[in-house]
Coordinates of all heavy atoms in Angstrom, one line a residue:
M1 N 0.9 -1.2 0.0 CA 0.0 0.0 0.0 C 0.9 1.2 0.0 O 0.6 2.2 -0.7 CB -0.9 0.0 1.2 CG -2.1 0.8 1.1 SD -3.4 0.3 2.3 CE -4.5 1.7 2.2
K2 N 1.9 1.2 0.8 CA 2.8 2.3 0.8 C 3.6 2.4 -0.5 O 3.8 3.4 -1.1 CB 3.9 2.2 2.0 CG 4.8 3.3 2.1 CD 5.6 3.3 3.4 CE 6.8 2.5 3.2 NZ 7.8 2.7 4.4
N3 N 4.0 1.3 -1.0 CA 4.7 1.2 -2.3 C 3.7 0.6 -3.3 O 3.1 -0.4 -3.0 CB 5.9 0.2 -2.2 CG 6.8 0.5 -1.0 OD1 7.2 1.6 -0.7 ND2 7.1 -0.5 -0.1
G4 N 3.4 1.4 -4.3 CA 2.5 0.8 -5.3 C 1.1 1.5 -5.2 O 0.5 1.6 -6.2
R5 N 0.7 2.0 -3.9 CA -0.5 2.6 -3.8 C -1.7 1.9 -4.3 O -2.6 2.4 -5.0 CB -0.5 3.9 -4.5 CG 0.6 4.9 -3.9 CD 0.3 5.2 -2.5 NE 1.5 5.9 -1.8 CZ 1.6 7.2 -1.7 NH1 0.7 8.0 -2.2 NH2 2.6 7.7 -1.1
I6 N -1.7 0.6 -4.0 CA -2.9 -0.2 -4.3 C -3.4 -0.8 -3.0 O -2.6 -1.3 -2.2 CB -2.5 -1.5 -5.2 CG1 -2.1 -0.9 -6.7 CG2 -3.8 -2.3 -5.5 CD1 -3.0 -0.2 -7.5
C7 N -4.7 -0.7 -2.8 CA -5.3 -1.3 -1.6 C -5.3 -2.8 -1.6 O -5.7 -3.4 -2.6 CB -6.7 -0.8 -1.5 SG -7.6 -1.4 0.0
P8 N -4.7 -3.5 -0.5 CA -4.7 -4.9 -0.5 C -6.0 -5.5 -0.2 O -6.1 -6.7 -0.4 CB -3.7 -5.2 0.7 CG -3.8 -4.0 1.5 CD -4.1 -2.8 0.7
K9 N -7.0 -4.8 0.1 CA -8.3 -5.3 0.5 C -9.2 -5.3 -0.7 O -10.0 -6.2 -0.9 CB -8.9 -4.6 1.7 CG -8.1 -4.6 2.9 CD -8.0 -6.0 3.5 CE -7.1 -6.0 4.7 NZ -6.7 -7.4 5.2
C10 N -9.3 -4.2 -1.4 CA -10.3 -4.0 -2.5 C -9.6 -3.7 -3.8 O -10.4 -3.7 -4.8 CB -11.3 -2.9 -2.1 SG -10.7 -1.2 -2.2
G11 N -8.3 -3.5 -3.9 CA -7.7 -3.3 -5.1 C -7.7 -2.0 -5.8 O -7.2 -1.7 -6.9
S12 N -8.3 -1.1 -5.0 CA -8.4 0.3 -5.5 C -7.1 1.0 -5.5 O -6.3 0.7 -4.6 CB -9.5 1.1 -4.6 OG -9.4 2.5 -4.9
N13 N -6.9 2.0 -6.3 CA -5.7 2.8 -6.2 C -6.1 4.2 -5.7 O -5.3 5.1 -5.8 CB -5.0 2.9 -7.6 CG -5.8 3.5 -8.6 OD1 -6.9 3.9 -8.4 ND2 -5.3 3.6 -9.8
D14 N -7.2 4.3 -5.1 CA -7.5 5.6 -4.5 C -6.9 5.7 -3.1 O -7.8 5.6 -2.1 CB -9.1 5.7 -4.5 CG -9.6 7.2 -4.2 OD1 -8.8 8.0 -4.2 OD2 -10.8 7.3 -4.1
I15 N -5.7 5.9 -2.9 CA -5.0 5.8 -1.7 C -4.5 7.3 -1.4 O -3.9 8.0 -2.3 CB -3.9 4.9 -1.7 CG1 -4.2 3.5 -2.3 CG2 -3.1 4.8 -0.4 CD1 -5.1 2.8 -1.4
I16 N -4.8 7.6 -0.2 CA -4.2 8.9 0.3 C -3.1 8.7 1.5 O -3.4 7.7 2.1 CB -5.3 9.9 0.8 CG1 -6.1 9.4 1.9 CG2 -6.1 10.4 -0.4 CD1 -6.8 10.5 2.7
E17 N -2.2 9.5 1.5 CA -1.2 9.4 2.5 C -1.5 10.6 3.6 O -1.5 11.8 3.3 CB 0.3 9.6 2.0 CG 1.3 9.5 3.2 CD 2.8 9.6 2.7 OE1 2.9 9.7 1.4 OE2 3.6 9.7 3.5
I18 N -1.5 10.1 4.9 CA -1.7 11.1 5.9 C -0.4 11.1 6.7 O -0.2 10.1 7.5 CB -2.9 10.7 6.8 CG1 -4.2 10.7 5.9 CG2 -2.9 11.8 8.0 CD1 -5.4 10.2 6.7
P19 N 0.5 12.1 6.6 CA 1.7 12.0 7.2 C 1.6 12.1 8.8 O 0.8 12.9 9.2 CB 2.5 13.2 6.7 CG 1.5 14.1 6.1 CD 0.3 13.2 5.8
G20 N 2.4 11.4 9.5 CA 2.3 11.4 11.0 C 2.9 12.6 11.5 O 3.8 13.3 10.9
G21 N 2.5 13.0 12.7 CA 3.1 14.1 13.4 C 2.6 15.5 13.0 O 3.3 16.5 13.4
Y22 N 1.7 15.6 12.3 CA 1.1 17.0 12.0 C 0.5 17.5 13.2 O 0.0 16.8 14.1 CB 0.3 17.0 10.7 CG -1.0 16.2 10.9 CD1 -2.1 17.0 11.4 CD2 -1.2 14.9 10.7 CE1 -3.4 16.3 11.6 CE2 -2.4 14.3 10.9 CZ -3.5 14.9 11.4 OH -4.6 14.3 11.6
E23 N 0.4 18.9 13.2 CA -0.1 19.5 14.4 C -1.6 19.2 14.6 O -2.4 19.2 13.7 CB -0.1 21.0 14.2 CG -0.3 21.8 15.4 CD -0.1 23.3 15.2 OE1 0.4 23.7 14.2 OE2 -0.6 24.1 16.1
G24 N -1.9 18.8 15.9 CA -3.3 18.4 16.2 C -3.6 17.0 15.9 O -4.7 16.5 16.2
G25 N -2.7 16.2 15.2 CA -2.9 14.8 14.9 C -2.7 13.9 16.1 O -2.0 14.3 17.0
A26 N -3.3 12.8 16.0 CA -3.1 11.8 17.1 C -2.2 10.7 16.7 O -2.1 9.7 17.5 CB -4.5 11.3 17.5
N27 N -1.7 10.8 15.5 CA -0.9 9.6 15.1 C 0.6 9.8 15.5 O 1.5 10.0 14.7 CB -1.0 9.5 13.5 CG -0.9 10.8 12.8 OD1 -1.0 11.9 13.5 ND2 -0.8 10.7 11.5
W28 N 0.8 9.5 16.8 CA 2.1 9.5 17.4 C 2.1 8.1 18.1 O 1.2 7.7 18.7 CB 2.4 10.6 18.3 CG 2.3 11.9 17.7 CD1 1.3 12.8 17.5 CD2 3.5 12.6 17.2 NE1 1.7 14.0 16.9 CE2 3.0 13.9 16.8 CE3 4.8 12.3 17.1 CZ2 4.0 14.8 16.2 CZ3 5.7 13.2 16.5 CH2 5.3 14.5 16.1
L29 N 3.4 7.6 18.2 CA 3.6 6.5 19.0 C 4.6 6.8 20.1 O 5.6 7.4 19.9 CB 4.2 5.4 18.1 CG 4.5 4.0 18.8 CD1 3.1 3.3 18.9 CD2 5.4 3.2 17.8
P30 N 4.2 6.5 21.3 CA 5.2 6.8 22.5 C 6.4 5.9 22.3 O 6.4 4.7 22.0 CB 4.4 6.3 23.7 CG 3.2 5.8 23.3 CD 3.0 5.8 21.8
A31 N 7.6 6.6 22.6 CA 8.9 5.9 22.5 C 9.9 6.6 23.3 O 10.9 7.1 22.9 CB 9.3 5.8 21.0
G32 N 9.6 6.6 24.6 CA 10.5 7.1 25.5 C 10.6 8.6 25.5 O 9.6 9.3 25.5
L33 N 11.8 9.2 25.2 CA 12.0 10.7 25.2 C 11.4 11.0 23.7 O 11.9 10.8 22.7 CB 13.5 10.9 25.2 CG 14.1 10.8 26.6 CD1 15.6 11.1 26.5 CD2 13.6 11.7 27.5
G34 N 10.3 11.7 23.8 CA 9.7 12.1 22.7 C 8.8 11.1 22.0 O 8.8 9.8 22.5
T35 N 8.1 11.3 20.9 CA 7.3 10.3 20.3 C 7.8 10.1 18.9 O 8.6 10.8 18.4 CB 5.8 10.7 20.3 OG1 5.7 12.0 19.8 CG2 5.3 10.8 21.7
V36 N 7.2 9.1 18.2 CA 7.5 8.8 16.9 C 6.3 9.0 16.0 O 5.2 8.5 16.3 CB 8.1 7.4 16.8 CG1 8.2 7.0 15.3 CG2 9.4 7.3 17.5
P37 N 6.5 9.7 14.9 CA 5.2 9.9 14.0 C 4.9 8.7 13.3 O 5.7 7.8 12.9 CB 5.7 11.0 13.0 CG 7.1 10.9 13.0 CD 7.6 10.5 14.4
I38 N 3.6 8.4 13.1 CA 3.1 7.3 12.3 C 2.5 7.8 11.1 O 1.5 8.5 11.1 CB 2.0 6.6 13.2 CG1 2.6 6.1 14.6 CG2 1.5 5.3 12.4 CD1 1.5 5.6 15.6
D39 N 3.0 7.4 10.0 CA 2.4 7.7 8.7 C 1.2 6.8 8.4 O 1.5 5.5 8.6 CB 3.5 7.7 7.6 CG 4.5 8.7 7.8 OD1 4.3 9.9 8.2 OD2 5.7 8.4 7.5
R40 N 0.2 7.2 7.9 CA -1.0 6.4 7.6 C -1.4 6.5 6.2 O -1.5 7.6 5.6 CB -2.1 6.8 8.6 CG -3.3 5.9 8.4 CD -4.3 6.4 9.5 NE -3.8 5.9 10.8 CZ -4.2 6.6 12.0 NH1 -5.0 7.6 11.9 NH2 -3.7 6.1 13.1
F41 N -1.8 5.3 5.6 CA -2.3 5.3 4.3 C -3.7 4.8 4.4 O -4.0 3.8 5.0 CB -1.4 4.3 3.4 CG 0.0 4.8 3.2 CD1 1.0 4.7 4.2 CD2 0.4 5.5 2.0 CE1 2.3 5.1 4.0 CE2 1.7 6.0 1.8 CZ 2.6 5.9 2.8
V42 N -4.6 5.6 3.7 CA -6.0 5.2 3.8 C -6.6 5.0 2.4 O -6.3 5.8 1.5 CB -6.8 6.4 4.5 CG1 -8.3 6.1 4.5 CG2 -6.3 6.6 5.9
C43 N -7.3 4.0 2.2 CA -8.0 3.6 1.0 C -9.3 4.4 1.0 O -10.2 4.2 1.9 CB -8.2 2.2 0.9 SG -9.3 1.8 -0.5
C44 N -9.5 5.3 0.1 CA -10.7 6.0 0.0 C -11.9 5.3 -0.6 O -13.0 5.8 -0.8 CB -10.5 7.4 -0.6 SG -9.5 8.5 0.3
S45 N -11.6 4.1 -1.0 CA -12.7 3.3 -1.5 C -13.4 2.4 -0.5 O -14.6 2.4 -0.5 CB -12.1 2.4 -2.7 OG -13.1 1.7 -3.4
C46 N -12.5 1.7 0.3 CA -13.1 0.9 1.3 C -12.9 1.3 2.7 O -13.5 0.8 3.7 CB -12.7 -0.7 1.0 SG -11.0 -0.9 1.6
G47 N -12.0 2.2 2.9 CA -11.7 2.6 4.3 C -10.6 1.9 5.0 O -10.2 2.3 6.2
Y48 N -9.9 1.0 4.4 CA -8.9 0.2 5.0 C -7.7 1.3 5.2 O -7.5 2.1 4.3 CB -8.4 -0.9 4.1 CG -7.2 -1.6 4.7 CD1 -7.3 -2.5 5.8 CD2 -6.0 -1.5 4.1 CE1 -6.2 -3.1 6.3 CE2 -4.8 -2.2 4.5 CZ -5.0 -3.0 5.6 OH -3.9 -3.7 6.1
S49 N -7.1 1.1 6.3 CA -5.8 2.0 6.6 C -4.7 1.2 7.2 O -4.8 0.1 7.8 CB -6.2 3.1 7.5 OG -6.3 2.7 8.9
E50 N -3.6 1.7 6.8 CA -2.3 1.0 7.1 C -1.4 2.0 7.8 O -1.3 3.2 7.3 CB -1.7 0.5 5.8 CG -0.7 -0.6 5.9 CD -0.3 -1.1 4.5 OE1 0.6 -0.4 3.8 OE2 -0.9 -2.1 4.0
E51 N -0.6 1.6 8.7 CA 0.2 2.4 9.5 C 1.8 2.1 9.4 O 2.0 0.9 9.5 CB -0.2 2.5 10.9 CG -1.6 3.1 11.2 CD -2.0 3.2 12.6 OE1 -1.4 2.5 13.5 OE2 -2.9 3.9 13.0
W52 N 2.5 3.1 9.3 CA 4.0 2.8 9.0 C 4.8 3.8 10.0 O 4.6 4.9 10.1 CB 4.4 3.1 7.6 CG 3.9 2.0 6.7 CD1 2.6 2.0 6.1 CD2 4.6 0.9 6.1 NE1 2.5 0.9 5.3 CE2 3.7 0.2 5.3 CE3 5.9 0.5 6.2 CZ2 4.1 -0.9 4.6 CZ3 6.3 -0.6 5.5 CH2 5.4 -1.3 4.8
I53 N 5.8 3.1 10.6 CA 6.8 3.8 11.3 C 7.9 4.1 10.4 O 8.3 3.2 9.7 CB 7.3 3.1 12.6 CG1 6.1 2.6 13.5 CG2 8.2 3.8 13.4 CD1 5.3 3.7 14.0
R54 N 8.5 5.3 10.4 CA 9.6 5.5 9.5 C 10.8 4.8 9.9 O 11.1 4.5 11.0 CB 9.9 7.1 9.6 CG 8.7 7.9 9.0 CD 8.9 9.3 9.2 NE 7.6 10.0 9.1 CZ 7.2 11.3 9.3 NH1 8.2 12.1 9.7 NH2 6.0 11.7 9.2
A55 N 11.5 4.4 8.8 CA 12.7 3.5 9.0 C 13.7 4.1 10.0 O 14.3 3.3 10.8 CB 13.4 3.3 7.6
D56 N 14.0 5.4 10.0 CA 15.0 5.9 10.9 C 14.6 6.0 12.3 O 15.3 6.4 13.1 CB 15.5 7.3 10.3 CG 14.4 8.4 10.3 OD1 13.2 7.9 10.3 OD2 14.7 9.5 10.3
K57 N 13.2 5.6 12.6 CA 12.8 5.6 13.9 C 12.6 4.3 14.5 O 12.3 4.1 15.7 CB 11.4 6.4 14.0 CG 11.4 7.8 13.5 CD 12.2 8.7 14.5 CE 12.0 10.2 14.1 NZ 12.8 10.6 13.1
L58 N 12.9 3.3 13.7 CA 12.5 1.9 14.1 C 13.4 1.5 15.4 O 12.9 0.8 16.3 CB 12.7 0.9 13.0 CG 11.6 1.0 11.8 CD1 11.9 0.1 10.7 CD2 10.2 0.7 12.5
E59 N 14.7 1.9 15.3 CA 15.6 1.5 16.4 C 15.1 2.1 17.7 O 15.1 1.5 18.7 CB 17.0 2.0 16.0 CG 18.0 1.3 16.8 CD 18.1 -0.2 16.7 OE1 17.8 -0.8 15.7 OE2 18.2 -0.8 17.8
K60 N 14.7 3.3 17.6 CA 14.1 4.1 18.9 C 12.9 3.4 19.4 O 12.9 3.1 20.7 CB 13.9 5.5 18.4 CG 13.3 6.4 19.6 CD 13.1 7.7 19.1 CE 12.5 8.6 20.2 NZ 12.3 10.1 19.8
V61 N 12.0 3.0 18.5 CA 10.8 2.4 19.0 C 11.2 0.9 19.5 O 10.6 0.5 20.6 CB 9.9 2.1 17.8 CG1 8.7 1.2 18.1 CG2 9.4 3.5 17.3
K62 N 12.0 0.3 18.9 CA 12.4 -1.1 19.4 C 13.0 -1.1 20.8 O 12.7 -1.8 21.7 CB 13.4 -1.7 18.3 CG 13.8 -3.2 18.7 CD 14.7 -3.7 17.7 CE 15.2 -5.1 18.2 NZ 16.2 -5.6 17.2
R63 N 14.0 -0.1 20.9 CA 14.6 0.1 22.2 C 13.6 0.3 23.4 O 13.6 -0.3 24.4 CB 15.7 1.2 22.2 CG 17.0 0.9 22.7 CD 18.0 2.0 22.6 NE 18.1 2.5 21.2 CZ 18.0 3.8 20.9 NH1 17.5 4.7 21.7 NH2 18.2 4.1 19.6
Y64 N 12.7 1.3 23.1 CA 11.7 1.6 24.1 C 10.8 0.4 24.5 O 10.5 0.2 25.6 CB 10.9 2.8 23.6 CG 9.9 3.3 24.7 CD1 10.2 3.9 25.9 CD2 8.5 3.0 24.4 CE1 9.3 4.3 26.8 CE2 7.5 3.4 25.3 CZ 8.0 4.1 26.5 OH 7.1 4.4 27.4
W65 N 10.3 -0.3 23.5 CA 9.2 -1.3 23.6 C 9.8 -2.8 24.0 O 9.0 -3.7 24.2 CB 8.3 -1.4 22.5 CG 7.5 -0.2 22.4 CD1 7.7 0.9 21.7 CD2 6.3 0.1 23.2 NE1 6.7 1.9 21.9 CE2 5.8 1.4 22.9 CE3 5.6 -0.6 24.2 CZ2 4.6 2.0 23.4 CZ3 4.5 -0.1 24.8 CH2 4.0 1.3 24.4
T66 N 11.1 -2.9 24.0 CA 11.7 -4.2 24.4 C 12.4 -4.1 25.7 O 13.0 -5.1 26.2 CB 12.7 -4.7 23.2 OG1 13.6 -3.7 23.0 CG2 11.9 -5.0 22.0
E67 N 12.6 -2.9 26.3 CA 13.2 -2.8 27.6 C 12.2 -2.8 28.8 O 11.1 -2.4 28.6 CB 14.1 -1.6 27.6 CG 15.5 -2.0 26.8 CD 16.3 -0.8 26.7 OE1 16.1 0.4 27.3 OE2 17.4 -0.8 26.1
Ligands
LIG1 ZN1 -9.6 -0.5 -0.3

């Protein structure tokens, strides 16, 4: 869905990206000092949504949630 922009549920390509961390948004993941933005992809055909943590934040999330 992130790559290719095709919905895995209904096959539509009507996908929008909602970047994580915008002002007023709730799409943050707690990760110790500070939070990590969650980027979300939403299918405007069926409503399915997918969430992605940015690659450069994965180490931070892993450290926080495994200790
Ligand atoms: Zn869909």
Side-chain angles (χ1 to χ4, degrees):
M1 200 160 171
K2 184 169 89 165
N3 313 308
R5 299 298 169 93
I6 298 290
C7 176
K9 300 298 180 190
C10 74
S12 168
N13 63 358
D14 193 7
I15 307 295
I16 59 165
E17 176 179 359
I18 302 172
Y22 66 92
E23 194 177 344
N27 44 349
W28 293 92
L29 184 71
L33 291 176
T35 52
V36 170
I38 304 170
D39 296 324
R40 183 172 291 152
F41 294 79
V42 176
C43 173
C44 291
S45 180
C46 75
Y48 177 72
S49 76
E50 202 173 80
E51 295 181 341
W52 288 78
I53 307 299
R54 294 170 198 173
D56 63 340
K57 300 288 189 287
L58 290 174
E59 199 53 43
K60 181 177 177 177
V61 171
K62 183 179 175 185
R63 227 179 302 126
Y64 180 70
W65 289 100
T66 54
E67 282 176 5

